[in-house]
Amino acid sequence: MQVNASSMIAHQDWMNNNANNIANVNTDGFNSTQTTIQNPNDGNVQAVSSKTDNDGDTDLSREITEQIPIEKGFSANAKAVQTYDKMIGSLIDLSV
């Protein structure tokens, strides 16, 4: 469950950076932020972000297409959390 929650936070961070890049696509001198999702050995998923050296040249097609895996990853983790919640609810109902 903790892995799913940390993954949802990481996907949200990625979406926030992606949206910021899209919002500033026409801003002179704006350097976009490149975000990757990493899963270190401790099991917590995290978003790692770094500024690019593209001198204001944000790749809009990449930013828009990245929103698909971001949304799907967030949704998949949300379904796992919902399933966990339903299972815990069922167990509590059985014990009462």
Side-chain angles (χ1 to χ4, degrees):
M1 172 94 152
Q2 179 62 31
V3 172
N4 296 108
S6 66
S7 180
M8 289 172 70
I9 292 168
H11 280 83
Q12 183 62 50
D13 290 344
W14 187 10
M15 180 63 87
N16 291 342
N17 289 331
N18 189 274
N20 186 49
N21 291 342
I22 291 171
N24 288 292
V25 71
N26 291 325
T27 303
D28 292 332
F30 175 77
N31 289 337
S32 63
T33 303
Q34 181 67 36
T35 305
T36 57
I37 301 292
Q38 294 182 355
N39 188 1
N41 292 334
D42 65 358
N44 289 324
V45 179
Q46 60 189 9
V48 178
S49 302
S50 60
K51 288 287 188 180
T52 60
D53 284 335
N54 57 2
D55 296 328
D57 188 25
T58 301
D59 185 2
L60 190 58
S61 62
R62 180 181 59 85
E63 299 295 338
I64 291 174
T65 56
E66 277 186 349
Q67 291 182 358
I68 297 168
I70 295 170
E71 188 270 332
K72 297 295 182 189
F74 188 91
S75 294
N77 284 290
K79 286 288 184 188
V81 171
Q82 288 173 341
T83 301
Y84 177 81
D85 184 50
K86 285 181 183 178
M87 289 173 53
I88 293 298
S90 295
L91 287 174
I92 290 172
D93 290 343
L94 288 174
S95 65
V96 176

